[in-house]
Amino acid sequence: MSNDAWETLSNQSVTAAGILYFLALLAHSAQWAALRKLPADETPESGQVATFGRFGLLLTGIACAAHFVALVARGLAADPNRVPWGNMYEFTLSATFMVTFAYLVLYRKYKLSWLSPWVVGLVFVTMMIAVIWLYERVAPLTEALSSPWLVIHVISAILASGVFFLGGLVSILFLVKARSEAREQMQERELVTAGGGAPLGPAPRTGILARIPSTDALDRLSYRLHAFAFPVWTFAVLISGPIWAHYAWSRYWGWDAKEVWAFITWVVYAAYLHARATAGWKGRNAAILALVGLATLLFNFIGINYFFGGSSQHSYAEAPAAVVQVDAGIGVGAAPLG
Amino acid sequence: MAASELGFLELLRWAWRQLTSMRTALVLLLLLALAAIPGSVIPQSNTDAFAVQRWQDEHPKLTPIYEKLELFSVFDSVWFSAIYLLLVVSLVGCILPRTRVYWRAFRAKPPAAPRNLARLPHHATYETTESADELLATAERVLRKRRYRVVVDAEAGTVSAEKGHLREAGNLLFHLAILVVLGGFATGSLWGYQGGVVVAQGSGFSNTITQYDDFVPGSLLQASDLEPFHFEFDKFDIEWLESGPRQGMAQKFAAHLRYTEKPGAEEKKYALRVNHPLSIGGTDLFLIGHGYAPHITVRDANGDIAASGPAVFLPEDQASFRSFGVVKASAAKPEPIGLEGLLFPTFLMIDGTPMSIFGDDRNPFISMQAYVGDLGWSKGSQSVYVLDKSGMKLLEKPDGGLFRVDLCAAKINGTPNTSCKNSTVKLPDGAGSVTFDDITPWVRIQISRTPGKGIALGGVVLALIGLLGSLFIRPRRVWVRVRRRDDAETLVEVGGLERSNGGDATDEIDEIVTQLKGRGTEDS
């Protein structure tokens, strides 16, 4: 197959994956719409509702496969062939793939069915954003990027980002769930005081929120995701990144805008883990801290490329129209020397 | 007197306790993150001095305030240093006592079983016909196999077991490793240096401070620390993309060097490429830029050569490599001659505007203005890239029209350029002539020595190992109690305690019970 054919295949696979994700979202929405009326502790194993759920999962699986094909084809479309992590479009495509993949792998172990519509919806929206605003044609890598460290550095960054993203999602759900739990408790208390007698026992709870696991479970899951992602992030930002920067840019740490924000993200997540481990912060405060971490991560990914584009050496986010991407390393020579 | 001394000591102790508390460490961490933000928003003088200059020109009112706040060098500033030094103190104050506690805990035996194992968060009971002694022995074996440290108290009929001590070791290692990283980083900035030099093809460089274009030494660097290497730059390879979405981009840069590690040493060859630095001793050489040096010969009024050879022009635009440069012919008689203007590597006149349409030197062309008069050497040192025109007169055509030195190159990188008809122009007023002989590449080489980078790397790797230990090793305690009952059955109680958050010892207890039962049936 020619490079152009691979590129076309990649674009078609992205479209296919997008449609499949959308269908999966519809299936899960239908499932949840039906589940809403049922008590939360009752999940039918057969019938229409269960079929919708299984169908949604199946569609997500196929979408994930198409997503993977898109990535592989993207890499094969380049000359010479390379890993598909050369620009923001490719990075976003890879990170969303990582989110879906992690979700599918962990689905059974952590019983993630409650997470399905959220993950699928998020991946779908992010992918569409990538296609609409970030799309770039397949192009050879700039010189500073063609290094084996691209594989090592970027895959760890993508893996960590994807899992942090999932962790952030769980933290948001935690906050929502915590509010609803607090409200329920208040209502129960009111009932008790108003009724004057013994509580009637909790009414069967229905609704979407009731199906999300308890705050304790969410809190533990969020912690586990972050505890996994943080060492990976450490490796990406503080080991593989500096080693590569040393080879490509002659310094291992130069306080480049991207480096500063990667450092900030690292510090915030370190504070999160620290708070969990020693200060015994659980729940709300920890969730908020995790979301601050996610905000710095996203700002680093999007903000730095667009607001600081020119001044950061990591500026691989130039508009597609620019004929020449200033090759990050060699571009330094443009600075006046006198 | 004594009271106030006591008060002072107490104050110190109080301050120390505050500083080393977890809450303070957390606040300092978040403060560090917050303090780093200006470093990414405001241009920093040690990463991009040019951007700092531009910013200062645009914001003359804010500049003095920002300078006072050290916002152009955030990461060297007093306040940023204060935060991380406090953090280091807090860290040391935290790990010292913890190490002591850990040392004691490490040597301590697993604690005796609590009275009521059923009260523990994870527990199980079952009955068996085995004897108590047998069971205790089995429990010891099972738990040891599961890598617990085990103490058997036969009298009380209990087994105490503990594992996961390394979690705290990992935690301590992580914190200590941060100190190692800081040490490595500091070593680099104290004894290291970084310099840049532009070397034209065909010339060389010896590693002494005077040969650098720019040089940033560490505060404790001695001139004798510079390794005495020398290199010659012979040839530059570059490949320009002529099609595709990255049309006009260059790649596969390689500067072919011949180098000696010290005077008199054997000469070696190296192709210096991006991502492939050359290491000589502890010093690394990086290829970080390239450009063109037109060879311009200036003859004076007598026809004598007043200047010749390559003149380094700096690219103004990385796409087209349109470059700016000057030529200074101070030896010209009767008056020195100066040239200033642009080089177009692939020249094309589009709608009356001279442009370079490609970065490669396919059709090199210079368009410069000529000046005569005082070059300004008497004012002291000056940049070779700037012409001080304050004492000079612009040469004009006899009719007063604009005179330009517009020339194509006679040769391109040594190969005759057949499309160029005339590469020489006479200057007005009989001041002399200018010839565009040739055009060759130059490269910008960054030379740096960063001692301590191995230490920093080792530190981060240790920190990562410690981190993994502190996150994924689960410290647990397990107790087994056997009790002979009147009905000749033995009651076995197993209880577990998870000592870190995020863990769940239920599975562990279940497995232990299964193993205990399994061994029991096997033995009987």
Side-chain angles (χ1 to χ4, degrees):
Chain A
M1 262 167 89
S2 73
N3 288 336
D4 282 343
W6 281 116
E7 189 170 352
T8 312
L9 175 65
S10 172
N11 292 344
Q12 285 167 347
S13 304
V14 168
T15 313
I19 293 170
L20 286 164
Y21 279 128
F22 184 63
L23 291 177
L25 181 61
L26 285 184
H28 282 304
S29 303
Q31 176 201 7
W32 279 62
L35 280 176
R36 216 162 57 91
K37 306 261 167 50
L38 295 172
D41 46 4
E42 194 179 301
T43 309
E45 291 294 323
S46 59
Q48 214 179 7
V49 178
T51 313
F52 272 131
R54 274 200 295 274
F55 195 52
L57 190 65
L58 181 71
L59 282 169
T60 313
I62 303 172
C64 185
H67 202 150
F68 185 67
V69 170
L71 283 176
V72 172
R74 185 89 190 164
L76 291 173
D79 179 34
N81 291 345
R82 61 173 164 88
V83 287
W85 304 323
N87 52 47
M88 274 186 85
Y89 172 71
E90 293 172 359
F91 194 95
T92 311
L93 221 53
S94 306
T96 44
F97 170 77
M98 206 58 92
V99 170
T100 319
F101 188 71
Y103 152 77
L104 288 175
V105 167
L106 301 178
Y107 183 85
R108 198 172 282 269
K109 185 166 180 211
Y110 292 112
K111 302 183 181 70
L112 292 181
S113 62
W114 54 276
L115 200 59
S116 307
W118 312 91
V119 165
V120 174
L122 194 81
V123 166
F124 173 70
V125 169
T126 316
M127 211 168 162
M128 287 305 105
I129 289 174
V131 169
I132 295 168
W133 284 301
L134 305 176
Y135 180 75
E136 264 183 67
R137 288 208 56 198
V138 175
L141 290 177
T142 53
E143 193 76 358
L145 283 180
S146 19
S147 158
W149 289 101
L150 173 70
V151 183
I152 300 161
H153 175 62
V154 180
I155 195 155
S156 46
I158 288 177
L159 181 62
S161 304
V163 179
F164 274 141
F165 211 76
L166 261 181
L169 187 62
V170 174
S171 294
I172 292 174
L173 290 179
F174 171 89
L175 290 176
V176 174
K177 179 81 179 182
R179 259 187 65 169
S180 91
E181 270 182 11
R183 204 176 301 148
E184 257 165 37
Q185 275 172 358
M186 237 169 58
Q187 277 168 356
E188 261 168 43
R189 220 172 300 140
E190 270 166 18
L191 269 178
V192 171
T193 46
L200 301 165
R205 294 181 306 147
T206 56
I208 291 173
L209 281 179
R211 288 197 173 267
I212 299 174
S214 69
T215 42
D216 273 352
L218 287 176
D219 195 44
R220 208 174 320 127
L221 178 62
S222 157
Y223 171 74
R224 283 189 180 168
L225 289 170
H226 285 106
F228 171 79
F230 186 70
V232 181
W233 185 250
T234 305
F235 176 77
V237 167
L238 299 178
I239 295 182
S240 63
I243 292 178
W244 189 13
H246 168 74
Y247 286 115
W249 296 333
S250 81
R251 82 289 185 296
Y252 64 86
W253 191 268
W255 298 111
D256 176 82
K258 200 109 190 167
E259 293 170 0
V260 172
W261 278 91
F263 173 73
I264 291 173
T265 304
W266 188 85
V267 168
V268 173
Y269 279 121
Y272 166 83
L273 290 177
H274 207 276
R276 295 276 323 218
T278 54
W281 272 22
K282 271 192 155 188
R284 217 178 112 78
N285 288 344
I288 289 173
L289 205 49
L291 288 177
V292 171
L294 184 64
T296 63
L297 185 79
L298 290 178
F299 179 75
N300 196 11
F301 178 49
I302 300 161
I304 295 298
N305 290 340
Y306 282 105
F307 305 139
F308 301 75
S311 63
S312 170
Q313 286 187 309
H314 289 80
S315 59
Y316 38 73
E318 269 96 339
V323 178
V324 169
Q325 198 113 6
V326 175
D327 34 324
I330 279 282
V332 179
L337 308 161
Chain B
M1 179 81 188
S4 78
E5 246 172 49
L6 197 69
F8 180 68
L9 269 179
E10 267 170 4
L11 188 73
L12 266 184
R13 203 167 292 150
W14 176 83
W16 178 253
R17 259 204 312 276
Q18 289 301 312
L19 186 60
T20 55
S21 78
M22 287 301 163
R23 191 178 295 268
T24 313
L26 263 181
V27 169
L28 283 172
L29 259 180
L30 292 174
L31 214 58
L32 190 70
L34 211 60
I37 294 176
S40 73
V41 181
I42 301 161
Q44 297 294 299
S45 49
N46 48 6
T47 42
D48 195 348
F50 187 56
V52 172
Q53 193 56 51
R54 208 167 40 208
W55 195 95
Q56 291 183 341
D57 291 343
E58 283 167 18
H59 306 85
K61 277 196 183 138
L62 278 176
T63 299
I65 303 171
Y66 275 40
E67 260 171 356
K68 209 154 251 162
L69 293 172
E70 299 177 273
L71 287 174
F72 298 114
S73 52
V74 166
F75 303 106
D76 303 323
S77 70
V78 175
W79 47 274
F80 191 80
S81 316
I83 295 172
Y84 76 75
L85 286 178
L86 279 176
L87 201 56
V88 166
V89 173
S90 159
L91 196 147
V92 171
C94 175
I95 50 177
L96 281 182
R98 280 183 83 156
T99 312
R100 211 161 44 224
V101 170
Y102 179 61
W103 179 244
R104 248 183 261 140
F106 193 78
R107 294 189 307 170
K109 285 178 181 165
R115 189 170 304 202
N116 190 353
L117 289 183
R119 278 213 184 141
L120 291 172
H122 313 285
H123 62 88
T125 48
Y126 71 96
E127 285 165 10
T128 172
T129 50
E130 278 178 273
S131 79
D133 290 344
E134 264 175 57
L135 267 168
L136 285 180
T138 315
E140 186 183 1
R141 207 167 54 235
V142 166
L143 287 166
R144 274 199 202 286
K145 202 147 196 203
R146 296 182 74 91
R147 322 222 308 181
Y148 279 86
R149 302 194 303 158
V150 184
V151 170
V152 183
D153 187 342
E155 225 161 90
T158 58
V159 177
S160 309
E162 187 167 27
K163 80 167 174 186
H165 268 106
L166 285 177
R167 181 190 184 88
E168 179 66 4
N171 198 0
L172 292 171
L173 177 66
F174 173 74
H175 287 86
L176 273 175
I178 289 179
L179 297 182
V180 175
V181 174
L182 283 177
F185 203 75
T187 310
S189 49
L190 287 177
W191 285 282
Y193 67 86
Q194 190 159 56
V197 59
V198 168
V199 186
Q201 180 174 292
S203 54
F205 171 85
S206 296
N207 193 26
T208 52
I209 292 179
T210 49
Q211 293 228 347
Y212 281 94
D213 293 335
D214 58 283
F215 191 78
V216 185
S219 24
L220 296 178
L221 180 82
Q222 312 273 319
S224 56
D225 292 342
L226 268 64
E227 257 130 334
F229 62 81
H230 174 89
F231 68 80
E232 292 288 328
F233 167 38
D234 291 332
K235 193 170 153 289
F236 186 58
D237 293 341
I238 187 166
E239 208 179 279
W240 295 90
L241 294 179
E242 293 181 35
S243 58
R246 293 276 163 86
Q247 185 185 18
M249 187 180 94
Q251 55 181 13
K252 299 189 177 135
F253 316 95
H256 295 271
L257 307 182
R258 274 179 295 125
Y259 70 98
T260 49
E261 298 196 354
K262 51 177 173 256
E266 179 201 0
E267 192 175 74
K268 297 177 195 160
K269 285 187 171 170
Y270 191 81
L272 193 62
R273 289 174 295 145
V274 177
N275 273 318
H276 298 272
L278 166 63
S279 294
I280 301 175
T283 309
D284 295 308
L285 280 70
F286 304 86
L287 175 65
I288 62 161
H290 67 108
Y292 294 109
H295 297 224
I296 296 170
T297 303
V298 179
R299 287 187 171 76
D300 63 11
N302 304 331
D304 296 330
I305 292 176
S308 68
V312 170
F313 276 46
L314 301 177
E316 287 186 324
D317 159 23
Q318 289 288 321
S320 70
F321 267 80
R322 184 188 68 230
S323 309
F324 175 85
V326 302
V327 175
K328 298 176 186 184
S330 20
K333 299 275 168 4
E335 273 184 303
I337 299 171
L339 301 174
E340 180 192 81
L342 295 171
L343 163 76
F344 304 90
T346 300
F347 176 75
L348 195 69
M349 191 68 98
I350 297 174
D351 298 334
T353 313
M355 288 175 72
S356 179
I357 54 162
F358 201 50
D360 198 6
D361 49 354
R362 302 279 167 90
N363 180 26
F365 191 83
I366 51 169
S367 179
M368 307 181 80
Q369 290 186 312
Y371 298 82
V372 290
D374 182 14
L375 281 167
W377 291 113
S378 54
K379 290 180 195 161
S381 66
Q382 52 169 260
S383 165
V384 292
Y385 305 110
V386 180
L387 191 64
D388 179 0
K389 298 179 291 244
S390 55
M392 305 196 85
K393 187 179 97 166
L394 178 67
L395 285 179
E396 291 171 333
K397 283 182 184 166
D399 60 7
L402 186 67
F403 171 77
R404 300 197 73 93
V405 176
D406 285 340
L407 294 172
C408 53
K411 281 189 269 184
I412 301 171
N413 214 353
T415 316
N417 179 14
T418 46
S419 65
C420 182
K421 298 286 173 285
N422 189 6
S423 58
T424 302
V425 67
K426 279 201 159 53
L427 296 174
D429 307 342
S433 68
V434 177
T435 309
F436 186 5
D437 299 311
D438 198 354
I439 178 168
T440 51
W442 55 258
V443 290
R444 183 172 154 80
I445 291 176
Q446 186 87 2
I447 299 169
S448 70
R449 207 179 66 145
T450 324
K453 61 177 183 250
I455 299 175
L457 179 62
V460 187
V461 172
L462 283 182
L464 186 61
I465 293 170
L467 186 65
L468 291 173
S470 76
L471 286 174
F472 300 117
I473 294 175
R474 304 210 168 288
R476 281 176 177 151
R477 282 179 184 159
V478 172
W479 293 276
V480 179
R481 173 172 283 136
V482 291
R483 222 174 283 162
R484 197 79 185 166
R485 284 201 325 207
D486 302 337
D487 55 2
E489 292 259 305
T490 309
L491 179 73
V492 183
E493 286 177 287
V494 183
L497 189 62
E498 188 77 40
R499 300 185 66 217
S500 63
N501 55 38
D504 190 354
T506 312
D507 292 347
E508 177 83 359
I509 298 295
D510 287 350
E511 278 172 38
I512 290 172
V513 169
T514 318
Q515 274 181 337
L516 281 177
K517 284 181 179 165
R519 297 286 165 114
T521 46
E522 268 166 39
D523 289 351
S524 61

